[in-house]
Amino acid sequence: MKIAIVGASGHYRYVLDALAENELVGIAPGVSGEDLTKLKNALAKRGIEAREFADWRELVPLAEVAVVGTRFDQNAPIAGEFLKADKFVFSEKPLGTTEAQLEELQKLNDASRAFVCGMFGIRYAPWFLTIKKHLPEIGALRLLSAQKSYKMGKRADFYHKRETFGGIIPWVAIHGLDWILTLLGGDPVESVSAYQRPGEGGSELEPCAFVMMRTKGGVLASVSADYYRPEGAPTHDDDRLRVVGTKGILEAVGGVVTLLCENGAETLPLEEGEDVFRLFLRRCRGENVGVTPEESFYATQVALSARNAADAAL
Amino acid sequence: MKIAIVGASGHYRYVLDALAENELVGIAPGVSGEDLTKLKNALAKRGIEAREFADWRELVPLAEVAVVGTRFDQNAPIAGEFLKADKFVFSEKPLGTTEAQLEELQKLNDASRAFVCGMFGIRYAPWFLTIKKHLPEIGALRLLSAQKSYKMGKRADFYHKRETFGGIIPWVAIHGLDWILTLLGGDPVESVSAYQRPGEGGSELEPCAFVMMRTKGGVLASVSADYYRPEGAPTHDDDRLRVVGTKGILEAVGGVVTLLCENGAETLPLEEGEDVFRLFLRRCRGENVGVTPEESFYATQVALSARNAADAAL
């Protein structure tokens, strides 16, 4: 398919492998002055010299699929323009940084012959697929706890403004929310509460947050997100998930999955990972695989509700 | 000192070692029909044949120190009677199962020449003392996450009634709250929210709960408590604590403590554990050691607030 990449501020790495069997029609910054160097380097490494456009609007007629990952507050309006032209959109999460953006995008999605899906790529990591596979072994779901812990490293300026960043909950905790919503399998969230620590020293980037939820079915879930992982830590992130059921507990730490049940504890063999973007392209061609638009909107909606709860709790 | 033990439904094992150098004046059930067999067996194993009283009131004039751990709703009124007679009380936590009980006990404690402290014994476990010792190495405190996971096993009937049990938050999550409050070192809790899953099948025992807090100083904390640890698990409990600071992360899992900081990760040598009851006896003799009455009341108060929040959220 003909693919356009708008912006280099998100997880464009998800799409690189699939470029081998698709056509990259061009790349463009999503906001003026956005640095595309890393994206261009990653493409050059694969022998791809991308045509670069100054204005992403020029890509709308050329592309069948837009990969949108620019300054977070601009992802929704740009995705919307592609949807209006009936072009598929693989968008960075959250699908919008405000409720108004999300509502507008939902309308455009519903009116389009194409659709938008979010970059919820961790859902196809070996550890997550392994938990998903073994979920039936732990009985009825009762309690889920997710953790995202990141190094702060050097962040672009726009991370430090709520208006352009959106908040730690829609940007970081949303992954934990997505894992949880996926495993809940349709049991809707009934109540959400959250706390977050406000940014300091002129930054509006919240360095940590907790989100807590209860579903209609009475399942409890929580997500902890923080930017305090020391620079000396062996990996950039420390993703964890603990899933408690009536008959056992599944847990992932550092990519290793254990199952604790009546027979004791065992480390599970890992499933093969999948390519979230290739699944998306198959969905564009009519297959019912990968992340759905509905899931992408719902995860974003829950994340924005949690952020609002955290804002209100201050 | 002259020690009396009322009830065998709590952590009387905390006091057994110290009986070697103190005098056990007698034991009694806290409620009629309470089974003292396990306590008597534990004493017999140490060569102690305890004088058994049918009514704990007979122990009030005989004892200098009362160890109270009976049906949870009776701990506060019994502790109160000993305080009225100026006898020290080492009480099971929570200090009360209702706000009214706690207020009444606080009054009696303040009016007494003696005092009551709670059985927050895990605070003197090697892993916890190790975290406490290394706390200054992780900079300013930002985020604390505690976990208590227990096997359900066979529980006495009174666990299954809210009135006699009090709830999973005051009984189980309170330990995590106590660890957190200890490490916060006086930074008061400003906001608490909580969810719990209601009991099922005629039981009012909540099988799981989440508590979330924010302190005045902006530190976030959470406690997860559940009774879903599979019977096949190697240990009865799975206590965990993650303490995130601006310069590092301390973490205890399975009694092993790791420090992650600028220099990478290391497993810390464990501190020696301490005897919570012997510390209590030293406090009775005027030393400023061990758990204070103030800490015991505060941890109970926070636990009851969290339980109320969880009740209200249903």
Side-chain angles (χ1 to χ4, degrees), chain A residues 167-196:
Chain A
I168 189 175
I169 293 175
W171 178 241
V172 181
I174 193 171
H175 285 291
L177 295 172
D178 173 57
W179 307 337
I180 288 165
L181 297 176
T182 300
L183 298 179
L184 285 171
D187 180 11
V189 174
E190 197 176 57
S191 177
V192 179
S193 63
Y195 292 131
Q196 63 197 1

Side-chain angles (χ1 to χ4, degrees), chain A residues 191 195 197 214 240 251 313, chain B residues 191 195 214 218 240 251 313:
Chain A
S191 177
Y195 292 131
R197 185 181 174 92
R214 198 193 52 227
R240 301 187 198 178
E251 194 158 1
Chain B
S191 177
Y195 292 130
R214 199 194 49 226
R240 302 186 198 177
E251 194 158 2

